Amino acid sequence: MGMVSTVGLVLHPERDSKEAIDTIVEWARNRGCPVLGLPDEVGRIDCSAVAVDAQTLVRQADLLVSLGGDGTMLRTMRLIAGRPTPVLGVNLGRLGFLAEIDVADLAPALSAIDEHRYTVEPRMAVRAALPDGRTVTAFNDIALVRIPGDGLAAVSVSVYGEPFVRYAADAVIVSTATGSTAYSFSAGGPIVSPTVEGFIVVPAAAHTAFNRALVLSADEEVTLDVLPTSGQLAMEVDGTIGGHLCPGDRLTVTALRAAARVVRLGTTTFYDRARRKLRVNGSAEVD
């Protein structure tokens, strides 16, 4: 018996993951360990995984396997946010930043995990307290986004209650280091190593003279106030709508250190992945 006694599965909503699931189920059966999944996910496929609710999955699994892409990986991380359970990402499509292996590499990866030949990479989350008392957690970003035809995102940014800058923009994005290669990157933000514990506040398509990003430490607290001149804003949490904000609303954002742990097997580095995904090359002058 290795260190894994119960495996949890999180599946992409559409992509076919039968080959990967069969591999995992077989591996688990040989070790006498149950495989758990969410009812609407494992119900779609013919396998011996036991359907349990999200709470049970999170409580009982000591390894979570995410089958899909970075979106599925982010959802898995949000599911277990704040727990030490390692997450192994298996790519069922394009190369991702978070998923570590392709389906073909699954069997050796599971053996490596059994033999403790892997590392875990802690990932920070950002958490926002909403006006209605709810909290949301994101591993890429929380973005306040203008609704087309409804006025710009006019947002005041304060650190520890001290006003710093007012942006008027298409969006104001609060990104983790993980999210630095996602929406933040497209808005002109820097590529940040995942080992950096901090978060970035960056405007997308700023209409203000000051259009730079702000990098904060994981210990700092940032407040976003939706200004009277703002349109109504959509709040996106890792790219999905988490609510709407109106002028006068306030969002307080803090960092959650090591909120998830991603399994790494040393096959590629963050910089390899970033170069390939973001097409990072020199210019003609250096070649």
Side-chain angles (χ1 to χ4, degrees), residues 86-284:
V87 183
L88 172 67
V90 183
N91 253 324
L92 297 181
R94 299 184 304 275
L95 170 82
F97 279 102
L98 292 164
E100 178 69 355
I101 55 162
D102 295 324
V103 176
D105 307 317
L106 191 49
L110 292 169
S111 300
I113 289 169
D114 243 358
E115 294 158 19
H116 300 260
R117 288 185 288 112
Y118 71 98
T119 56
V120 290
E121 186 175 79
R123 293 283 178 146
M124 199 192 90
V126 280
R127 181 165 276 180
L130 307 185
D132 62 10
R134 285 186 304 139
T135 61
V136 292
T137 302
F139 281 90
N140 260 356
D141 45 47
I142 294 168
L144 301 188
V145 185
R146 70 172 293 213
I147 295 163
D150 201 32
L152 291 173
V155 176
S156 166
V157 178
S158 307
V159 183
Y160 282 138
E162 186 181 343
F164 179 70
V165 64
R166 296 171 145 217
Y167 291 120
D170 281 357
V172 176
I173 305 156
V174 182
S175 167
T176 62
T178 302
S180 72
T181 51
Y183 195 1
S184 170
F185 178 80
S186 70
I191 293 176
V192 181
S193 160
T195 57
V196 171
E197 289 198 317
F199 57 106
I200 313 159
V201 183
V202 60
H207 295 243
T208 40
F210 182 82
N211 63 355
R212 299 306 179 91
L214 175 64
V215 180
L216 301 172
S217 100
D219 297 318
E220 290 177 302
E221 175 186 283
V222 67
T223 308
L224 305 177
D225 284 296
V226 185
L227 295 167
T229 51
S230 183
Q232 189 189 212
L233 305 179
M235 180 190 62
E236 293 184 357
V237 180
D238 285 343
T240 59
I241 301 274
H244 289 85
L245 296 176
C246 299
D249 282 343
R250 163 173 287 189
L251 210 58
T252 303
V253 184
T254 51
L256 201 60
R257 279 194 163 83
R261 290 171 170 80
V262 176
V263 171
R264 293 295 182 208
L265 297 158
T267 45
T268 60
T269 67
F270 165 73
Y271 300 102
D272 288 333
R273 291 189 291 271
R275 288 193 54 170
R276 282 157 69 193
K277 289 270 307 176
L278 305 174
R279 311 254 191 269
V280 177
N281 280 308
S283 66

Side-chain angles (χ1 to χ4, degrees), residues 71 73-81 137-139 237-240 260:
M73 196 65 182
L74 289 165
R75 188 161 56 87
T76 308
M77 290 159 76
R78 286 195 303 275
L79 206 60
I80 57 137
T137 302
F139 281 90
V237 180
D238 285 343
T240 59

Side-chain angles (χ1 to χ4, degrees), residues 3-25:
M3 62 142 238
V4 179
S5 59
T6 305
V7 178
L9 292 179
V10 181
L11 310 182
H12 188 278
E14 287 103 34
R15 274 187 214 146
D16 173 32
S17 40
K18 182 161 171 43
E19 186 193 342
I21 291 163
D22 289 348
T23 305
I24 294 160
V25 167

